[in-house]
Amino acid sequence: MRAHSGYDRARLQDRMNLFWLLTNEPRDKMDNVKWFLEMAFSKKTRIKYRDRFGKIEK
């Protein structure tokens, strides 16, 4: 992957997680979406606006 420079490496783990979600069991994609949404909404955490939408330092 290091030989290719045409992608953003900063979010690579997020894209790999999404790929895993879409390619693994159950094969019904809607079940995967349902599982993801249930997991996302059941987790109790706070994301600060500044952390999510603040300036990205390079």
Side-chain angles (χ1 to χ4, degrees), residues 5-16:
S5 61
Y7 62 92
D8 181 16
R9 288 174 178 82
R11 312 278 333 234
L12 183 59
Q13 186 64 51
D14 294 337
R15 293 173 194 238
M16 292 174 75

Side-chain angles (χ1 to χ4, degrees), residues 14-43:
D14 294 337
R15 293 173 194 238
M16 292 174 75
N17 290 343
L18 182 59
F19 176 77
W20 177 87
L21 176 69
L22 294 175
T23 58
N24 284 310
E25 298 293 331
R27 287 289 177 205
D28 183 14
K29 302 302 182 216
M30 292 308 291
D31 286 341
N32 286 351
V33 171
K34 180 182 176 187
W35 171 79
F36 175 77
L37 290 175
E38 287 173 352
M39 181 185 65
F41 288 121
S42 68
K43 186 171 181 159

Side-chain angles (χ1 to χ4, degrees), residues 10-11 48-58:
R11 312 278 333 234
K48 295 180 182 177
Y49 180 87
R50 185 176 304 162
D51 294 341
R52 178 64 179 103
F53 297 106
K55 291 183 180 179
I56 299 173
E57 297 180 21
K58 291 186 177 182

